[in-house]
Amino acid sequence: MVLGIYGSGGHGLEVEELARVINLKENKWEKIIFIDDAIEKIDNEKIFSFETIINKYMPEDIEFMTGIGEPVIREKIYNKVKDRGYGFAILIHPLAYVAENVKLEEGVMIAYNAFISVKVHLSANSLIQPMASIHHECKIGRNSIVSSTVVMGGNSSLGDNSFIGIGAVVKQGINIGNGTVAGMGAVVVKDIPDKTMAAGNPAKIIKTGDIRVF
């Protein structure tokens, strides 16, 4: 089996490193490669175009992982791959804690020392960064990112295509909407609606509309 990391920038390199660590324990992939849409990056040795890869490998021979850390682009990559009949891996760092009854959909990545408690649901293509702590019965939406050292209290949720910045804290039972950003260090004590950016302590809405992380 081959692992194709779609995106060869900084986050893609982090995905590669996690896959390398997993391979040391499980020997899961015989080869790890990158896919990139930027023609100038393609070398046909380690970095390939998407069309080259799907012409070379059948769906049973390769699984993908998103190597971009921006939710809107993550969604585009996921849909592009799925539309061509290919699937995604699930990557979990050996030093992450994941409770037995956690629901994991394809494309999920859980990084070093993350804590995922009981009855959590991690939706497709979501990314949990190092040392994030997600407590009981939380739900993380599709293509969404929970950054390093974030703490989400029990029964809280993050919508699709959303982002929680480094060091943010989310009170139990809070809902953060779709296409929404909770900024770095935010203390979220009230629900945040769709397509909104909130920041501060306590978190307050600072922007609405189509929100991009960068």
Side-chain angles (χ1 to χ4, degrees):
M1 178 66 75
V2 174
L3 178 65
I5 302 169
Y6 206 132
S8 61
H11 179 60
L13 295 175
E14 291 185 337
V15 177
E16 181 188 36
E17 176 61 16
L18 174 53
R20 186 192 67 80
V21 170
I22 292 171
N23 247 6
L24 289 175
K25 285 184 167 288
E26 301 180 26
N27 196 27
K28 190 172 182 180
W29 303 285
E30 62 189 51
K31 185 184 295 185
I32 299 170
I33 60 174
F34 289 99
I35 296 94
D36 208 295
D37 294 331
I39 297 174
E40 66 273 13
K41 292 184 178 182
I42 293 170
D43 59 17
N44 290 317
E45 294 181 2
K46 189 68 180 288
I47 305 174
F48 302 86
S49 71
F50 181 61
E51 293 299 324
T52 295
I53 291 306
I54 63 174
N55 286 330
K56 183 174 182 179
Y57 297 104
M58 297 296 291
E60 61 267 25
D61 298 323
I62 187 169
E63 54 186 356
F64 288 82
M65 179 56 63
T66 305
I68 300 290
E70 207 288 325
V72 172
I73 300 176
R74 292 179 67 83
E75 179 186 36
K76 291 178 180 178
I77 289 172
Y78 183 84
N79 291 340
K80 182 177 181 178
V81 171
K82 294 298 290 181
D83 286 348
R84 301 298 289 268
Y86 288 77
F88 282 76
I90 294 174
L91 303 188
I92 302 174
H93 196 287
L95 296 180
Y97 175 84
V98 180
E100 186 175 1
N101 57 3
V102 169
K103 182 177 180 180
L104 300 173
E105 298 185 16
E106 67 174 326
V108 166
M109 173 174 157
I110 303 174
Y112 170 81
N113 264 11
F115 172 83
I116 314 296
S117 190
V118 296
K119 295 186 177 180
V120 167
H121 179 183
L122 301 181
S123 300
N125 205 31
S126 57
L127 167 62
I128 313 302
Q129 292 280 39
M131 296 176 285
S133 184
I134 302 177
H135 291 266
H136 65 89
E137 299 168 288
C138 288
K139 181 176 180 181
I140 307 302
R142 297 166 66 89
N143 316 305
S144 292
I145 298 172
V146 179
S147 296
S148 298
T149 68
V150 166
V151 178
M152 294 185 67
N155 202 33
S156 56
S157 66
L158 178 67
D160 296 339
N161 299 338
S162 294
F163 183 95
I164 303 180
I166 295 170
V169 178
V170 181
K171 182 183 176 183
Q172 69 272 14
I174 293 297
N175 298 311
I176 299 173
N178 301 312
T180 290
V181 173
M184 184 170 58
V187 178
V188 184
V189 296
K190 294 182 180 180
D191 291 354
I192 304 175
D194 294 348
K195 294 186 177 181
T196 299
M197 179 179 289
N201 179 9
K204 296 181 180 179
I205 294 172
I206 59 174
K207 186 178 180 181
T208 60
D210 289 328
I211 305 298
R212 295 288 294 269
V213 177
F214 31 65

